[in-house]
Amino acid sequence: MEVMTPRGPAMVEVDEAAEPRLLLVLTHGSAGGVDAPDLMAVRDAALGAGVSVARVTQAFRAAGARAPGSPARQDEAWEVVLNELRARWPGLPLVQGGRSNGARVACRTAKAVGAAAVVALAFPLHPPGRPERSRAEELRGAGVDVLCVSGDRDPFGVPDAADAARLVVLPGEGHDLKKEPIRVGEVVAEWIIHYA
């Protein structure tokens, strides 16, 4: 499915549960795709829990760019996609999330799109080696419950437990969360179902 945004078309892949209890919308990091191991594991676990899942390739990635550009323009395009998805599934509660940069977008736009909660996979707390450039305000500003799943070896840092409704730190995992993606999926599915 293609959704036209002010930044060009975004691509949406939807996997529908038979009798969905919730709509989970996920997106990628700045240079990644929606087929990342952790996103696929979350999709699989969520489907198993009766949750429909939409994976969004944002317009900047669909156009081939590796950087999202300004947060305001990225958020504007994201809100257009989410409004379209909400119109297609009007009765379902919405949880949105993503990995890395996608987690930042989900936090920044949660209130604007009416999300019940946010899933933040590998939230990039700060640029590698630059802890003074914290992005914790984006987590605190989400205005809804946020689940953070991070690896203890993530060079982008691990959020503080006080800045999220729930923080899960997985031992041995880096920023890509690909060592045990099934565990990531289990953690997310178990948590989001409370918002159905």
Side-chain angles (χ1 to χ4, degrees), residues 34-56:
V34 294
D35 294 330
D38 56 345
L39 293 177
M40 296 302 288
V42 168
R43 178 202 66 177
D44 294 346
L47 282 169
V51 173
S52 289
V53 181
R55 290 175 296 132
V56 178

Side-chain angles (χ1 to χ4, degrees), residues 162-184:
D163 292 334
R166 181 160 189 236
L167 171 66
V168 177
V169 181
L170 300 174
E173 289 281 6
H175 191 62
D176 52 19
L177 296 175
K178 68 179 184 181
K179 188 175 174 189
E180 286 188 74
I182 290 172
R183 179 72 185 121
V184 177

Side-chain angles (χ1 to χ4, degrees), residues 71 74-75 100-101 103-110 118 123-125 134-144 146 163:
Q74 186 182 21
D75 294 354
S100 195
N101 174 266
R104 295 180 66 195
V105 176
C107 287
R108 291 193 307 254
T109 62
V118 167
F123 185 88
L125 185 62
S134 174
R135 299 173 179 131
E137 271 310 311
E138 289 179 353
L139 281 173
R140 290 192 285 264
V144 298
V146 179
D163 292 334

